[in-house]
Amino acid sequence: MFDILIRNAKIVDGSGSPWFYGDIAIVRDRIVDIAAHLEGDAHCVIEANGKVVSPGFIDMHCHDDMVQLVDEAMIAKTFQGVTTVVTGNCGFSTFPTVSERSALALAHLATVSGDVTEEALDPSFSAYQARISRQGSLTNVAGLVGFGSIRVAVMGFEKRQPTASELMAMRNLVIDSINQGAVGLSLGLLYVPDSYADTAELMALCKAVASKGGLVTCHVRTYETHLIESAQEFLDILAQSGARGQLSHLQAGGRSNWGKVNDVLHMMTEAREKGIDITCDMYPYVAGSTSLSTLFPPWTQEQGGVKRLTELLQDVSAREKIRQETVHGGTGKLWEPKVPLIGWGGIVVASVVNENLKACEGKSLAEIGTVEGRDPFDVLVDLVCLDEGRSTGIMFSFDPKDIEAVYASPLHMVCSDGMWTFQGKPHPRHFGAFARVIRMFVQEKPILTLEDAIRKMTSMPAQRLGLMHTGLLRAGMRADICIFNPTEVKDKATFDEPRQLSQGFSHVIVNGKLVLRDGELTGKRPGKVLTCMLP
């Protein structure tokens, strides 16, 4: 007796091979058989009627750490066929934290996640895993340990080289996290305090990751004018440390930098020919999203993070220096101002926590400045100070041709980079990235076959993460599966109305349990933490 039997499926198995018709049988959390026709009874029979059946999608890069247990947030992923999310990206993870620096840890996480409470903090990966296991989740989780979180736990927001004992402490936290099941280390070299680390410090930690076979993901120092130099720094670190690397959300910001992604893709190809194991990911939109506090130079957060930044902005002379560097540039290592590249009109307020600032959501800094008769810089300062650094923005700065070039690369895999918040108008990528890939790049402008698109969403990220029991439809693999009609798949989320669920997915199975059946949620939460150590 099977638990679930899927009949008459158009099977796209995740390998990139051409589709074929067949049946799929599931017992408990595993696929037990796939054949042209399977005999036998089942507790649940799903008639696919020629719909596509594929492995569940893996979101290679997202920021679901603080909302993993919030069904309201994760439903957006379920309705896109996502069955596994990769958290802890860009140096931000909820672990490891130490009680004496919990306030700093909260301030660090708030820059990408808005309002965060101490209940979200975990002392270790094991504690993070236990918390998700107790409550269950709509999706599986693979967790990276964030370098920023490690540095905050050991050094706070101090801008200096670590002592020998501090570097050893950080190295031990990396190794402990991977030993407990984290799939690797994430670097967020744009963000404080990651940006304070020099190459030698990063090298030491990446060597520790390499010794455990983990993956190093990297938000490089800048994706604008110094994109090439930033990518080269990461490649050099990988070459010398021996670590496997993932260049996060490969993009080129600002019209003057459009086309540079092709240079980086060429660099990556040459690096692989030399034996450097490097790949990348990217989401299918021409705008990114991050904390508005990142528009200011990194030195403004030394010795205290956003709290220090807000203090400096209240000082007349410091504020004028910050204004000059924010608008015209400074001397920070590989840091440059985004404002002249994007323009105030291209920076839109996505979400705020302070209720008094709600009217700003969905408006550009230029628009707010015009309405209020104020300099957009002063608008930005008030947003960051009054919201204590928790405001996020959407920044329109990418070339559609660059996005297409990245998606056409065999080194690329799909991600959302989604940052779900309880407030405002977040980037629609959390709600629509995977559906958008099928609609845009398979159906409307076919730069990918359906088989290739699904490979980029399933087996490729699974292999990259070392999750060798998911990402393919094979007997013995995890029963993480989605069923959809490609011609009906549509991302409905827009920048004006981002909280709209995607359509076209009828069934989603996570660990052998239906979480979406005939387009309706079942109420089940079978998601688990996946690690390289567990089948």
Side-chain angles (χ1 to χ4, degrees):
M1 172 74 75
F2 304 129
D3 290 325
I4 298 176
L5 180 59
I6 304 172
R7 291 194 181 279
N8 303 313
K10 188 176 185 178
I11 298 173
V12 181
D13 66 8
S15 68
S17 298
W19 61 264
F20 60 95
Y21 289 117
D23 299 346
I24 301 174
I26 298 168
V27 175
R28 293 186 291 278
D29 65 345
R30 300 286 164 160
I31 298 169
V32 294
D33 203 358
I34 300 176
H37 179 73
L38 292 173
E39 298 288 348
D41 295 326
H43 295 295
C44 172
V45 176
I46 299 172
E47 291 291 346
N49 294 320
K51 288 182 180 178
V52 169
V53 177
S54 80
F57 301 154
I58 299 173
D59 191 345
M60 187 65 186
H61 181 114
C62 70
H63 296 276
D64 292 335
D65 310 60
M66 269 61 71
V67 296
Q68 185 60 43
L69 301 175
V70 180
D71 286 356
E72 180 186 355
M74 300 312 295
I75 284 170
K77 296 294 177 71
T78 297
F79 274 81
Q80 297 175 73
V82 173
T83 57
T84 299
V85 298
V86 183
T87 60
N89 282 286
C90 297
F92 297 91
S93 61
T94 63
F95 62 92
T97 59
V98 293
S99 57
E100 60 267 31
R101 290 199 171 100
S102 61
L104 294 180
L106 289 173
H108 177 240
L109 293 172
T111 59
V112 293
S113 301
D115 203 10
V116 187
T117 63
E118 285 203 31
E119 287 73 23
L121 301 180
D122 299 293
S124 64
F125 180 86
S126 292
Y128 173 73
Q129 181 178 26
R131 181 158 59 91
I132 293 175
S133 297
R134 283 195 304 271
Q135 300 184 46
S137 170
L138 284 171
T139 68
N140 293 318
V141 189
L144 295 157
V145 58
F147 172 48
S149 298
I150 286 175
R151 213 174 196 271
V152 167
V154 175
M155 299 176 61
F157 285 99
E158 295 188 31
K159 184 182 180 180
R160 59 175 175 80
Q161 292 182 340
T163 65
S165 61
E166 287 170 336
L167 186 59
M168 182 58 69
M170 288 192 285
R171 182 181 181 279
N172 289 340
L173 286 174
V174 170
I175 290 176
D176 288 346
S177 296
I178 296 177
N179 283 341
Q180 292 168 23
V183 294
L185 170 72
S186 76
L187 309 176
L189 302 184
L190 168 69
Y191 302 101
V192 171
D194 302 47
S195 60
Y196 298 154
D198 61 17
T199 301
E201 180 180 339
L202 298 172
M203 187 76 67
L205 299 185
C206 289
K207 285 182 177 179
V209 177
S211 73
K212 305 302 295 184
L215 179 69
V216 178
T217 72
C218 186
H219 179 132
V220 297
R221 294 193 191 271
T222 177
Y223 292 89
E224 286 84 32
T225 303
H226 298 292
L227 170 61
I228 304 299
E229 298 94 321
S230 297
Q232 188 61 58
E233 178 190 30
F234 184 43
L235 289 172
D236 290 344
I237 290 170
L238 296 179
Q240 296 177 50
S241 69
R244 300 183 297 118
Q246 180 84 358
L247 200 162
S248 297
H249 40 64
L250 175 56
Q251 58 196 243
R255 183 176 294 272
S256 61
N257 299 307
W258 289 358
K260 287 185 177 180
V261 297
N262 291 294
D263 297 324
V264 176
L265 290 170
H266 181 69
M267 291 165 60
M268 292 169 59
T269 299
E270 286 191 332
R272 290 191 65 84
E273 291 172 354
K274 296 175 183 177
I276 300 170
D277 190 353
I278 176 72
T279 52
C280 65
D281 51 61
M282 183 53 184
Y283 45 90
Y285 295 86
V286 295
S289 182
T290 189
S291 168
L292 289 177
S293 64
T294 63
L295 294 172
F296 299 112
W299 64 263
T300 58
Q301 296 189 46
E302 293 174 16
Q303 313 300 328
V306 172
K307 184 176 184 295
R308 177 58 177 161
L309 167 64
T310 57
E311 291 172 352
L312 288 170
L313 289 170
Q314 305 311 310
D315 178 89
V316 175
S317 61
R319 181 178 176 128
E320 184 56 33
K321 184 175 188 294
I322 295 169
R323 178 195 298 271
Q324 289 300 314
E325 293 194 19
T326 300
V327 177
H328 302 294
T331 58
K333 180 182 179 182
L334 294 185
W335 181 84
E336 63 186 311
K338 288 184 171 61
V339 171
L341 287 169
I342 302 172
W344 294 114
I347 303 171
V348 176
V349 179
S351 66
V352 299
V353 176
N354 188 321
E355 290 293 331
N356 296 323
L357 301 172
K358 288 294 181 181
C360 296
E361 292 177 338
K363 297 181 176 66
S364 74
L365 295 179
E367 182 181 358
I368 298 168
T370 298
V371 170
E372 297 183 359
R374 304 170 62 208
D375 186 317
F377 176 82
D378 296 326
V379 173
L380 173 63
V381 169
D382 284 355
L383 279 164
V384 171
C385 290
L386 294 174
D387 216 26
E388 300 176 336
R390 296 173 293 180
S391 303
T392 62
I394 295 173
M395 302 169 193
F396 293 85
S397 63
F398 309 146
D399 182 4
K401 293 181 180 178
D402 281 354
I403 306 299
E404 293 173 13
V406 173
Y407 268 76
S409 170
L411 302 182
H412 162 267
M413 56 202 78
V414 179
C415 73
S416 74
D417 196 13
M419 298 186 296
W420 193 91
T421 71
F422 293 92
Q423 298 87 23
K425 294 186 175 184
H427 196 300
R429 61 194 180 184
H430 179 87
F431 297 81
F434 288 80
R436 187 178 181 86
V437 170
I438 293 172
R439 177 181 65 80
M440 283 185 61
F441 296 147
V442 175
Q443 298 294 334
E444 296 179 2
K445 191 171 186 178
I447 64 173
L448 296 171
T449 66
L450 180 62
E451 290 88 346
D452 281 342
I454 288 176
R455 180 182 57 84
K456 286 172 175 282
M457 301 176 183
T458 57
S459 65
M460 189 175 179
Q463 181 273 332
R464 202 74 191 131
L465 296 162
L467 305 176
M468 306 313 291
H469 288 78
T470 193
L472 287 168
L473 298 183
R474 297 279 193 278
M477 302 292 281
R478 282 185 177 275
D480 295 333
I481 295 172
C482 62
I483 304 177
F484 59 96
N485 184 335
T487 62
E488 295 177 357
V489 168
K490 182 179 180 181
D491 53 311
K492 299 179 68 177
T494 65
F495 288 101
D496 290 330
E497 298 293 337
R499 297 180 186 273
Q500 299 188 80
L501 299 175
S502 295
Q503 67 181 35
F505 292 82
S506 60
H507 296 75
V508 175
I509 299 170
V510 176
N511 294 317
K513 304 293 183 184
L514 278 159
V515 296
L516 189 70
R517 183 173 187 174
D518 294 321
E520 300 289 335
L521 294 165
T522 65
K524 290 184 170 60
R525 308 176 87 242
K528 300 177 180 179
V529 175
L530 305 183
T531 72
C532 301
M533 303 180 299
L534 298 176

